[in-house]
Amino acid sequence: MKKSIKLAISLSLALVVATGCSSKTESAVPDKPAIELYSIAQQSLQAGNFISAIETLEALDTRYPFGPHTVQVQLDLIYAYYKNSDTAQALANIDRFIRLNPTHKDIDYVYYMRGLTNMGADYNLFHDLFNIDRSDRDPSYANAAFNDFTRLIQRYPESEYVADARKRAIAIKSRLARYELSAAEYYMKRKAYIAAIQRAQHIIDNFADTESRIGALKVMIKAYDLLEQPTLKANAEKILAANVS
């Protein structure tokens, strides 16, 4: 009997807490017409108050799923999530938009935002602030961003975002090449010379237009020397000489 009473009290308390939280969340965004809420969201965006903008835009998206600003609300949410460094939510909303609006006039912008979001996720604060070389960090987001920008460039060559996408793709390509070079140098330290040569060759094959090709050739020269392969070493030296002259 006592257990039943305790259980009932616990359930009642849980219900009160849940109701209180729910009421608090609902009251965070005033109960106003869609056009007024949209105006409030725009003011928050312009002021750089992205958390407030997200709360209002989410309420708009939930309360008025077929309102006059439905599509623009979704686009604004993508931007607000990106600016708030909320990668998961930004990507989820981007993918939802692409799935539901594959032929929308602003679809190029959405792909561009996908690239920016993935590139932002790859961003390393310590690298910029303290000039710490972290080229060995996981390149998953960088790869995704490169694919996003490449897709935008190929599918929408006339888009106003293509010029910037090209610049960013070049920067990401250099970052990916540095990652491969870091891996090659790691294998050299471990005396895994064949693996080091393979990673270096990957740079020559796929990132020959980046500065990392020089480091890759140096890795190959050293590895071939340690493997006592004078002919292959000489060939790599010739290529290196041609690249630095």
Side-chain angles (χ1 to χ4, degrees):
M1 184 67 179
K2 290 182 179 179
K3 288 184 179 179
S4 299
I5 294 173
K6 289 181 179 180
L7 179 59
I9 293 173
S10 298
L11 289 173
S12 298
L13 288 172
L15 182 59
V16 170
V17 172
T19 304
C21 292
S22 176
S23 299
K24 186 177 181 181
T25 302
E26 284 297 318
S27 63
V29 179
D31 186 14
K32 293 186 176 183
I35 191 167
E36 291 186 34
L37 288 179
Y38 184 72
S39 177
I40 293 172
Q42 291 305 302
Q43 291 172 20
S44 296
L45 284 174
Q46 292 169 15
N49 190 348
F50 301 112
I51 293 177
S52 177
I54 288 169
E55 289 178 349
T56 307
L57 289 167
E58 284 179 342
L60 262 170
D61 197 36
T62 301
R63 298 176 191 175
Y64 305 98
F66 305 106
H69 304 293
T70 299
V71 175
Q72 190 58 49
V73 164
Q74 293 171 9
L75 291 172
D76 289 343
L77 262 176
I78 289 170
Y79 176 75
Y81 284 134
Y82 161 69
K83 294 297 289 184
N84 199 46
S85 299
D86 193 338
T87 303
Q89 285 288 0
L91 291 177
N93 278 263
I94 286 169
D95 291 343
R96 182 182 74 157
F97 189 95
I98 292 173
R99 185 176 67 256
L100 298 176
N101 309 277
T103 60
H104 191 272
K105 63 181 181 64
D106 293 321
I107 197 69
D108 58 328
Y109 166 76
V110 178
Y111 278 113
Y112 176 66
M113 287 304 301
R114 200 176 203 288
L116 288 184
T117 301
N118 277 313
M119 191 174 184
D122 185 62
Y123 171 80
N124 189 303
L125 179 63
F126 292 103
H127 177 87
D128 265 23
L129 288 181
F130 305 111
N131 198 30
I132 298 173
D133 184 8
R134 289 299 313 281
S135 56
D136 61 338
R137 68 191 187 278
D138 180 12
S140 299
Y141 281 116
N143 269 311
F146 183 78
N147 291 334
D148 291 329
F149 289 132
T150 300
R151 187 181 297 113
L152 168 65
I153 293 166
Q154 292 176 346
R155 292 186 183 179
Y156 310 98
E158 303 303 318
S159 170
E160 62 181 294
Y161 305 105
V162 163
D164 188 63
R166 288 187 190 279
K167 293 177 182 178
R168 292 177 183 277
I170 290 171
I172 295 171
K173 195 172 185 180
S174 294
R175 180 265 193 268
L176 293 172
R178 290 195 301 273
Y179 173 80
E180 292 297 326
L181 181 57
S182 178
E185 291 170 342
Y186 168 78
Y187 283 127
M188 286 298 294
K189 291 178 182 178
R190 297 294 299 269
K191 299 183 179 181
Y193 304 128
I194 299 298
I197 291 169
Q198 290 173 339
R199 296 304 283 262
Q201 186 62 54
H202 179 72
I203 296 171
I204 301 303
D205 294 339
N206 298 279
F207 305 106
D209 54 346
T210 70
E211 290 298 319
S212 293
R213 72 185 185 281
I214 303 300
L217 287 166
K218 290 179 179 179
V219 165
M220 294 175 81
I221 290 168
K222 186 175 181 180
Y224 284 135
D225 183 48
L226 292 169
L227 289 171
E228 299 181 354
Q229 296 290 330
T231 302
L232 293 173
K233 176 187 174 184
N235 289 337
E237 287 175 332
K238 287 179 183 178
I239 298 173
L240 176 62
N243 274 269
V244 296
S245 60

